[in-house]
Amino acid sequence: MTTHDQQELARLLPTPAERDLPPGRHRHHKELLLSAVDGDRSRARRRLMRPPVLLPLAASAVAAAVLVTVLPGAHPENDSAARIRVAAPGTAHGATALLDRLATVALAVHVGPVREDQYVYTRSKATITAHIKPVEAGPLKEREDWRSQDSRPTRDGGFFREDGKYLPIRNSEPTPAGINRPTYGWLASLPTDPDALYQRIRKETMPIKGLDFDQAVFDTFGNLLRDTVMPPRMQAAFYKAAAKIPGVVELADGADADGRHGLAIAREDHDRDQRTEWVFDKGNLTFLGQRTYLTKTGEWGEAGTLVWANAILERTVVDKPSQMP
């Protein structure tokens, strides 16, 4: 294993206190680590997170070649769902317009206060890593999470169920609510002014060696928007703040891990030649999921290869772990 691979592997490891990774990412990291330590046969593969160099907004696109990505979760009987056309890169102006629309919709959705003794329930699917280098995303796996909303320092992060088994989400030490363990109460305490919120998230985003910081900020926004329940005004502010991340563009078409198509907010990682997309339903602008894929052919695989994808199937608030909506 080379020094570069070891650094990549170290970047994948979560901090000792749980980083509250989105559903599927714990599984994703575990597979990467197991593959990397299984002798030098399986060289360390990054989470292929997505760190781009800082470029002008209008120049954040790669060449507009039409690529095809096959999603493992797509329905084989429906070719239009199974084969996703990777469109031309889109524009920063479009991203601002779409994020403003998302903010408007968020304000119209009623989300009642979430008590600290409650749990955010999420049912999702995510791809399983099938191969390290070249990268290959394998079949989908379903998972359910019950995330504790207790803002006090605690080791209890909640529970998740996978393959029919319930397992606790435990922090290695008591961890208060915050960017690594976001709760409804913590999110409600953040500033709703988009400029102030953007600066707050930048300040609290952990720099990762070898990862472009603006991409790390984009990932942080994506995780928070995808995996939490927040007050409508705060969610609207998050969308408006996300528009301030350099390199963010809007795409006319994206798809989640379950093959559902929608509009996408994306950012190009020019260092790793991959693009990450947040996908939203074209009709009601509900968040559908996320995907990351290679944009250029290189050591990690051919352009258009899917790196990772997930799909949020259900999210609500319940009173206790294991309670179904």
Side-chain angles (χ1 to χ4, degrees):
M1 186 181 297
T2 67
T3 300
H4 175 268
D5 287 334
Q6 290 172 335
Q7 291 174 344
E8 279 293 299
L9 181 59
R11 187 174 68 78
L12 296 175
L13 286 166
T15 55
E18 181 183 83
R19 292 179 61 87
D20 203 20
L21 295 171
R25 278 301 200 185
H26 291 286
R27 167 170 75 239
H28 181 62
H29 289 306
K30 178 181 177 182
E31 290 159 359
L32 296 182
L33 295 174
L34 290 177
S35 298
V37 299
D38 185 20
D40 284 345
R41 295 168 305 173
S42 299
R43 300 179 61 192
R45 163 202 171 217
R46 56 198 168 211
R47 166 178 163 189
L48 291 151
M49 239 173 97
R50 312 134 282 207
V53 296
L54 183 59
L55 296 178
L57 286 174
S60 64
V62 295
V66 176
L67 307 175
V68 172
T69 299
V70 178
L71 291 181
H75 310 293
E77 70 275 10
N78 186 344
D79 187 63
S80 64
R83 301 188 67 78
I84 297 169
R85 236 169 241 293
V86 181
T91 67
H93 174 74
T96 301
L98 176 56
L99 287 163
D100 280 344
R101 288 174 59 198
L102 290 166
T104 300
V105 170
L107 287 172
V109 176
H110 173 71
V111 178
V114 180
R115 302 192 312 268
E116 294 210 348
D117 64 342
Q118 291 183 306
Y119 293 78
V120 170
Y121 168 83
T122 305
R123 183 169 64 91
S124 64
K125 290 182 180 180
T127 57
I128 303 297
T129 302
H131 198 268
I132 303 301
K133 192 184 262 190
V135 62
E136 181 183 343
L140 291 175
K141 198 165 191 178
E142 185 166 319
R143 167 172 165 153
E144 294 169 288
D145 285 79
W146 290 265
R147 298 279 175 169
S148 171
Q149 298 301 293
D150 189 348
S151 63
R152 298 171 300 180
T154 179
R155 288 187 171 90
D156 177 18
F159 288 83
F160 72 94
R161 178 166 62 184
E162 197 172 67
D163 297 328
K165 297 179 180 178
Y166 286 92
L167 295 170
I169 301 171
R170 304 291 291 178
N171 303 315
S172 60
E173 58 186 32
T175 304
I179 202 161
N180 292 327
R181 194 174 73 80
T183 64
Y184 182 93
W186 177 77
L187 290 162
S189 73
L190 297 176
T192 55
D193 175 74
D195 289 311
L197 179 60
Y198 174 61
Q199 294 301 327
R200 174 73 177 270
I201 298 302
R202 284 186 65 87
K203 181 179 179 181
E204 298 202 20
T205 294
M206 178 184 296
I208 300 174
K209 186 176 181 180
L211 180 67
D212 177 85
F213 185 66
D214 286 314
Q215 187 64 40
V217 173
F218 183 76
D219 291 340
T220 299
F221 270 87
N223 290 347
L224 292 172
L225 289 168
R226 179 181 58 243
D227 301 320
T228 62
V229 170
M230 62 180 75
R233 287 188 63 199
M234 182 55 61
Q235 186 162 4
F238 260 89
Y239 286 129
K240 288 181 176 292
K244 302 179 182 298
I245 304 172
V248 173
V249 298
E250 181 258 353
L251 301 176
D253 185 65
D256 69 3
D258 209 32
R260 298 176 298 182
H261 284 252
L263 301 171
I265 294 296
R267 195 173 193 278
E268 188 76 26
D269 176 350
H270 294 281
D271 289 347
R272 288 174 170 78
D273 296 325
Q274 50 187 295
R275 178 190 290 166
T276 294
E277 301 172 357
W278 310 337
V279 184
F280 300 87
D281 184 272
K282 292 182 179 180
N284 58 23
L285 296 182
T286 300
F287 177 83
L288 298 179
Q290 175 183 309
R291 66 172 175 174
T292 299
Y293 55 88
L294 303 181
T295 56
K296 293 182 181 179
T297 298
E299 61 176 335
W300 294 102
E302 295 183 3
T305 300
L306 184 70
V307 174
W308 183 80
N310 83 329
I312 303 300
L313 305 178
E314 189 174 6
R315 183 168 57 217
T316 189
V317 177
V318 296
D319 290 331
K320 57 185 179 180
S322 79
Q323 179 181 349
M324 299 302 297

